Amino acid sequence: MACLSGCGGAGSGAPGTAGPGAEPAHGATVSSAPSGDPTRIPGVGDRLYRRIPADAGQVVTVYGQNRKSADSTVVLYTRTGTTWRPAASWPAHNGRKGWTTDHRMGDQRSPVGVYTLSAAGGVLDDPGSKLPYDQDEDAYTPPAAWGGTHEHDFDYVIAIDYNRVKGTPPHDGTLPWGAAKGGGIWLHLDHGGGTSACVGLSKDAMRYLLRTLDPARHPVIVMGDRRELDA
């Protein structure tokens, strides 16, 4: 399946419970207030900040350690009025070869940019997702050939709307920009190392995001290495 190979399989050599207002998921860290200008998301410069839709009230920011690193930190920011505040933060992994502003199929780099988050799914039953949730064991079970390391990668997934039809189930393999630009890029469960282009998070983090990201708040993801983010 095109989506699955985009997320974890092709070229993959390997390492790689709370609602709004509740306590953060296990393993999350929370800051009481944003640093610097509270009307801006820390570490996101003008180039990408201008691409965040005006109606976005939730932003998942992926701070890549550097251009060639698979290590990153994910922070969920929520907006009240003009003020952005961090809700939770988790360690994460991105593409095993780092980041790129020109993602290509199989390059094992995550695409820098701002993308909407409009659909979710996975092997497991809906944990209370506010995003439309597509539970389908057949569609999301990784191929056995990937090995046990990836067995639970897609227990929960949130589709990143890069080269896909917004709002369709994550496993929809339609690639509007063509196959060369890659696709099937998701937030999914971490397997302990870099991915083919996706972003891997703990199971608790994924459950938290699924229960918190609200279509009515038009959630987006801003992702990239820290230098590109800050440009």
Side-chain angles (χ1 to χ4, degrees), residues 1-134:
M1 183 172 293
C3 241
L4 294 187
S5 64
C7 265
S12 166
T17 73
E23 290 298 314
H26 175 71
T29 58
V30 180
S31 176
S32 60
S35 60
D37 183 354
T39 67
R40 294 291 296 266
I41 295 173
V44 178
D46 288 343
R47 180 172 60 86
L48 290 178
Y49 193 82
R50 285 194 294 264
R51 293 174 55 188
I52 298 174
D55 59 0
Q58 295 174 318
V59 172
V60 177
T61 307
V62 185
Y63 296 97
Q65 187 175 94
N66 61 59
R67 186 172 63 89
K68 295 184 178 181
S69 174
D71 296 323
S72 54
T73 300
V74 169
V75 183
L76 171 64
Y77 292 94
T78 61
R79 185 171 65 181
T80 302
T82 61
T83 299
W84 289 101
R85 295 189 179 276
S89 172
W90 304 272
H93 289 102
N94 50 267
R96 62 180 53 83
K97 291 187 177 180
W99 296 90
T100 179
T101 56
D102 185 23
H103 177 65
R104 297 288 171 172
M105 180 68 80
D107 67 10
Q108 300 187 48
R109 295 178 172 88
S110 296
V112 175
V114 179
Y115 310 102
T116 54
L117 300 170
S118 61
V123 171
L124 300 181
D125 290 340
D126 185 349
S129 176
K130 293 186 176 181
L131 296 170
Y133 189 88
D134 175 56

Side-chain angles (χ1 to χ4, degrees), residues 128-221:
S129 176
K130 293 186 176 181
L131 296 170
Y133 189 88
D134 175 56
Q135 191 279 327
D136 190 327
E137 184 173 353
D138 291 336
Y140 298 103
T141 297
W146 292 6
T149 300
H150 298 280
E151 181 179 1
H152 296 287
D153 280 11
F154 310 135
D155 281 0
Y156 296 126
V157 306
I158 298 172
I160 295 171
D161 292 335
Y162 169 90
N163 196 16
R164 71 180 301 271
V165 179
K166 181 178 178 180
T168 60
H171 68 78
D172 185 316
T174 305
L175 303 174
W177 305 339
K181 293 292 289 180
I185 299 176
W186 300 340
L187 295 166
H188 64 63
L189 267 64
D190 189 38
H191 54 254
T195 70
S196 287
C198 299
V199 176
L201 292 157
S202 70
K203 185 174 184 178
D204 285 331
M206 287 298 297
R207 288 171 65 89
Y208 182 91
L209 289 173
L210 286 165
R211 292 172 172 177
T212 303
L213 295 177
D214 186 348
R217 303 199 69 186
H218 309 286
V220 301
I221 187 168

